[in-house]
Amino acid sequence: MLQDIDPEKISKVIYNGEVYSYQREENQHIKLYLEEIYPVLSNRLLESLEIDRPFKRIPNKYIPYWNEITSFYSTFLDTEEFKAIIPLNSKGFKQLREDKILQTKSNSNELRFGKDTGIEPKKDFLILGPYRPSNQPNVRLIFVYQKSDKKKYVAKLFSVLRDGLTHPQYGEQFPPMLRAIKQNFILEESAGIEFESPETAIDEIKQQLSVFDKKESTQYVALYVSPIRKDEKDHERLMLYYQVKELLLRRDITSQVIYRESLFKSAFRFYLPNIAIALLAKINGIPWRLDTDVTTDLVVGVGAFYSLTQNTKYIGSTFCFNNDGTFQGFNCHKANETDMLAGEISSAIMKFYVDNHKKAKRLIIHFYKKMSRKELQPIYEVLHNFKWEIPVIVITINKTISNDYVAFDLDSPNLMPKSGTILPIGTNQYLLFNNTRYSDSQSVNDNLFPIKLSFSASDEDLLGDLLMVKDLIDQVYQFSRMYWKSVRQQNLPVTIKYPEMAAEIYAFFQEGVPPFGTKNLWFL
C-alpha cells in the first residue's frame, strides 16, 4: 500500500486497527509490517495522489450530529457497566442554566446601508443601496479573455453588465450594474486584453500590459473571463488564475474573475449580487458597514493558509482602525516571519496616531491560533517604543468550526441555537453561534456550527470583566457581517477570513504583494 506514496506526504496510518502518526520516531517500529499498514487520506495525500473528493453540502449538521451522539450515548454509555465506572448525567447532555447563556446585543446584526439599516444583505443591498458609493469618479472596466471566447462569452457578460439580466417570463432578475453599485463607469466591449490559449496567455498579457495606455485619475478593473475552472486538476493550467491576478496587480489593476461557463447557467442570477458587492468594494466603495458607534480600538486580524503544493504556511494580516469594519491595510508573508507582523503593527500604530491625533484605547488581535510568546514579544516591544501603555487582548478564533463542543436548542426544529448565542465552555473560552436564525420562530437553510473563542491579555485581570469580554465577542460577531465576497452569512469574522483569502492567493505569487495590493480588496 505504501510503495507508491511519497513518505513525506503521509501523516497518519492505520495498523492493526489503530491509528499511528507516521512521522513520529517512536512509531517507526510498525514498518516491520509494511504490507499491513494503510495510509489515512489527508488533504495533502489526496492532492499528491490526484484523488477527487467531491464537496458534499449538508444542509443541517445539527440533526445528524444529535442523532449520532444520542445513539452512541444510549448504546455505549447509558449502561450499568459504564455508569459504575463513570456516573454520567442521567440526561446525557448538560443542561445550561439560563443565567449562563449569554447573548450579543440586540442590534449587533444590524447593518447600515445607503438609505436605511437592514440585516440581510441578500435583499437589502439592492433595495437600500450601498452605504457609500465608490470614491473614485472615473472607473473603467476592461475585459481579459481568450480570443475565441469574445463573441459568445465576453459579449454575454458585456450585455449583463450594461443591461442587467431579464427573464422572458419573470422580468428583471438583476438590474444593470450601474444601478446596482451606484457607479457610472466606462465599459468598452472592444477594449480588452486577448490571448490565443491558456498556454500562451501569460506572455501575451505581459506584452499587452507593457503598452497599455492607462488614463490618469482612473480606477481600472479587469474582468477576467476564465476558460479554466477553479477546481482544475492540472496544476499548470490552474496557476493561470494566480498569474493573471498578479500581473494585473503590478499595473495597479484590480480584477474580478468569472468562469465563462457560468455566464449561461440559470443560476448566474444568484452570482450577480456577489459580483456586484465585490466589484464595489474593489473600487473603494462600501457595500454596508456596521450600525454601531465608532470607538478607538486598533484591531489586527491575522489569518493563515497552508499551501499543500509548497508545504508552507502563509499568513495574511489586516488592520482595522475602528469598530465599524473599515479596513485600511493588508499584507502577507510566511508564517515564521514574526518580525514582519510586528513591523506592520508598528506602521498601523503610526498611521492611527496621525489620522486620529491620539493613541488607541486598546490593541485587539484576532489570531487564527494561540499566539506564542515569540509572536507576541515583538508586538510588546513596538508598543513600548511608541510609549503606548495600552491593554493588549488576543482572541484566538478557530478557523475550523467547533465540533468537539456543540450545543442544541431543543425548542428549534433545526436544533440550532439562535444567532448571537454565547456559551462559556471553560476558562476564558466561549462558543459563539453565528448564523441567520435571528428570532425564535425563524427557520433557516444554513445551519452553521459555532466558532470557538479563547481569550488572553497582557493583564489577565482584564478578562475578569465579563462585560468587556462580552463586548469583544460582540465585536467578533459584528465583523462577520462585513464579508463582501458574498451575500451569504459567514460565521468567521473578516479579520480572520480576509487575511486567509489574501494569503491563499499570495502563496502562488512570484513576488510579494505590490503597494497597490495592500490597499485594495483584490482577493474578493
Side-chain angles (χ1 to χ4, degrees), residues 292-324:
T292 185
D293 295 330
V294 175
T295 62
T296 54
D297 289 338
L298 173 56
V299 181
V300 178
V302 183
F305 169 75
Y306 183 80
S307 171
L308 294 171
T309 55
Q310 300 178 43
N311 193 23
T312 303
K313 180 176 283 186
Y314 295 86
I315 66 174
S317 57
T318 180
F319 302 100
C320 172
F321 295 91
N322 52 43
N323 64 329
D324 69 356

Side-chain angles (χ1 to χ4, degrees), residues 424-436:
I425 57 172
T427 304
N428 300 324
Q429 285 192 321
Y430 302 85
L431 287 185
L432 172 61
F433 290 82
N434 196 351
N435 51 64
T436 55

Side-chain angles (χ1 to χ4, degrees), residues 327-340:
F327 289 87
Q328 301 289 332
F330 302 86
N331 217 330
C332 302
H333 44 81
K334 291 182 179 179
N336 58 1
E337 297 172 337
T338 53
D339 288 343
M340 290 190 68

Side-chain angles (χ1 to χ4, degrees), residues 131-147:
Y131 171 72
R132 192 197 74 189
S134 171
N135 59 6
Q136 302 291 323
N138 306 310
V139 175
R140 281 180 178 259
L141 307 185
I142 60 173
F143 294 98
V144 179
Y145 54 90
Q146 189 168 316
K147 191 176 293 185

Side-chain angles (χ1 to χ4, degrees), residues 165-374:
L165 192 63
T166 303
H167 190 278
Q169 182 178 353
Y170 303 112
E172 184 177 87
Q173 294 182 312
F174 195 82
M177 194 58 69
L178 180 149
R179 274 174 40 207
I181 66 174
K182 310 302 181 188
Q183 173 70 39
N184 55 326
F185 48 77
I186 295 175
L187 178 66
E188 298 182 61
E189 187 177 12
S190 59
I193 296 174
E194 301 179 330
F195 55 89
E196 291 289 343
S197 71
E199 290 69 34
T200 62
I202 293 304
D203 288 338
E204 292 180 82
I205 293 172
K206 275 183 181 178
Q207 191 279 325
Q208 291 173 68
L209 283 176
S210 68
V211 296
F212 185 71
D213 183 22
K214 287 180 63 182
K215 298 185 180 296
E216 292 186 5
S217 304
T218 300
Q219 170 76 64
Y220 283 83
V221 182
L223 299 166
Y224 171 36
V225 182
S226 174
I228 300 170
R229 294 172 58 95
K230 284 189 71 175
D231 58 358
E232 169 67 49
K233 296 303 176 186
D234 185 317
H235 181 70
E236 293 301 318
R237 285 171 62 84
L238 182 62
M239 281 298 295
L240 183 60
Y241 168 85
Y242 304 104
Q243 292 169 323
V244 171
K245 278 269 187 188
E246 184 176 10
L247 284 176
L248 292 166
L249 270 184
R250 301 208 176 282
R251 288 301 309 272
D252 295 353
I253 300 174
T254 192
S255 57
Q256 180 71 38
V257 182
I258 300 169
Y259 175 51
R260 65 184 181 188
E261 301 299 336
S262 300
L263 290 162
F264 287 92
K265 290 182 177 180
S266 60
F268 188 60
R269 67 185 188 275
F270 299 121
Y271 301 161
L272 284 167
N274 301 335
I275 292 171
I277 59 174
L279 186 59
L280 177 61
K282 289 172 183 179
I283 58 174
N284 297 326
I286 300 178
W288 56 81
R289 57 152 283 188
L290 302 175
D291 187 32
T292 185
D293 295 330
V294 175
T295 62
T296 54
D297 289 338
L298 173 56
V299 181
V300 178
V302 183
F305 169 75
Y306 183 80
S307 171
L308 294 171
T309 55
Q310 300 178 43
N311 193 23
T312 303
K313 180 176 283 186
Y314 295 86
I315 66 174
S317 57
T318 180
F319 302 100
C320 172
F321 295 91
N322 52 43
N323 64 329
D324 69 356
T326 305
F327 289 87
Q328 301 289 332
F330 302 86
N331 217 330
C332 302
H333 44 81
K334 291 182 179 179
N336 58 1
E337 297 172 337
T338 53
D339 288 343
M340 290 190 68
L341 179 60
E344 289 164 10
I345 292 176
S346 176
S347 299
I349 288 173
M350 285 190 287
K351 180 167 174 44
F352 186 97
Y353 191 82
V354 168
D355 291 348
N356 297 278
H357 307 293
K358 59 184 176 182
K359 65 183 181 181
K361 176 186 173 185
R362 303 176 294 197
L363 171 59
I364 300 166
I365 302 174
H366 293 176
F367 215 72
Y368 68 96
K369 67 176 183 65
K370 184 176 181 180
M371 288 192 78
S372 65
R373 181 172 296 181
K374 180 182 178 182

